[in-house]
Amino acid sequence: MDLIRDAAGIRAAADAARAGGRAVGLVPTMGAFHDGHRSLIRRARDDRDMVIVSIFVNPLQFGPGEDFERYPRDEERDLGDSELLGADLVFAPTVEEMYPEGYPPEVTVDPGPLGERLEGAARPGHFRGVVTAVARLLNLAGPCAAYFGEKDAQQLAVIRRMVRTLGFPVEVVACPIVRESDGLAMSSRNAYLSPEEREAAGCLFLALCEAAELARKGERDAAVLAAAMAREVGATPLALLDDVAVVDEATFEEIRDITGPARAVVAARFGPTRLIDNLLLPM
Ligand code: PAF
């Protein structure tokens, strides 16, 4: 497995693979791997001939006062995991390689209204930072399949939209959320939780399951589902509800009645740590 830190290097490696008839898969990450990341690499390995994993803690997607400085980093372990999982190349650029015109970049990608709702409203500028970095990575990797986890479902929707709008020759592949035994979605930020907060964080999945159960029983009023989720999180000591909604699967607009594919989404704080989760609702 090769480790490449410069932009020209990843472009040349991906071009050479395609010239040799090999299909390229890209797994964009911010490192600090957990089983969710590992599942993306495995999926790319199964699907494609050449697997590129990128590791870059993208400062542009963190707001002032957010956790950019303390975001977990363990490059050595991530490189070992990538190799074990059969990645061909890890691209771990510097900020200068990612943003060669200077940081912060003057030119960024506007994620549009989809990027201003929910997570976008809670974290202004977050999705602009995400899609600007992802656009750069997709541009360097060239025609490929790119793998993202459904844990960040709104991010996935924004990226899909960008890829379609700007015509990137990329197939976006959504991979299922990987959960702990109590249902907590794996996230690098789970490492911030105290043991008590970690136990409390299980309420996110319970809340989503309640919403799914109501939908399964035929409830179509989104407000009823949202209220049930809010009650579950609200009843959990140490959990502070930030956001709860039922949204249209494609636009992430809040809906009143469930008439098509819809997703329940929830965000809550456990101490200083903000966690998000979501579940596609049964029809
Ligand atoms: O999901 C992430 O890890 C990041 O948002 C991504 C897609 C790698 C962009 O920096």
Side-chain angles (χ1 to χ4, degrees), residues 27-31 37 54 56-58 61 71 98-99 126 129-131 133-134 137 147-149 152 155 159:
V27 183
T29 81
M30 297 206 298
H37 297 110
S54 70
F56 178 65
V57 185
N58 174 30
Q61 68 189 73
Y71 194 84
M98 276 297 280
Y99 300 111
H126 170 65
V130 169
V131 291
V134 171
L137 291 169
Y147 297 79
F148 298 91
D152 297 306
Q155 164 173 287
I159 290 170

Side-chain angles (χ1 to χ4, degrees), residues 19 143 153 183 192 281:
Y192 299 152
L281 292 169

Side-chain angles (χ1 to χ4, degrees), residues 184 192-202 237-238 270-273 275:
L184 179 66
Y192 299 152
L193 302 171
S194 70
E196 297 75 24
E197 289 164 351
R198 166 64 191 82
E199 205 183 320
L238 299 185
F270 302 86
T273 307
L275 298 181

Side-chain angles (χ1 to χ4, degrees), residues 14-92:
D15 282 350
R18 276 185 298 269
R22 301 170 75 207
V24 173
L26 173 70
V27 183
T29 81
M30 297 206 298
F33 291 172
H34 50 66
D35 282 346
H37 297 110
R38 296 185 191 102
S39 74
L40 302 181
I41 302 174
R42 275 194 202 96
R43 174 73 194 276
R45 184 65 286 162
D46 287 348
D47 287 0
R48 314 295 284 192
D49 304 311
M50 191 223 199
V51 176
I52 302 174
V53 176
S54 70
I55 300 175
F56 178 65
V57 185
N58 174 30
L60 199 59
Q61 68 189 73
F62 290 80
E66 288 190 354
D67 56 342
F68 173 68
E69 270 84 22
R70 71 179 190 124
Y71 194 84
R73 291 162 171 87
D74 193 342
E75 191 182 89
E76 208 173 308
R77 197 179 55 118
D78 294 342
L79 291 175
D81 281 1
S82 301
E83 179 140 41
L84 271 177
L85 292 165
D88 298 285
L89 190 162
V90 169
F91 176 54

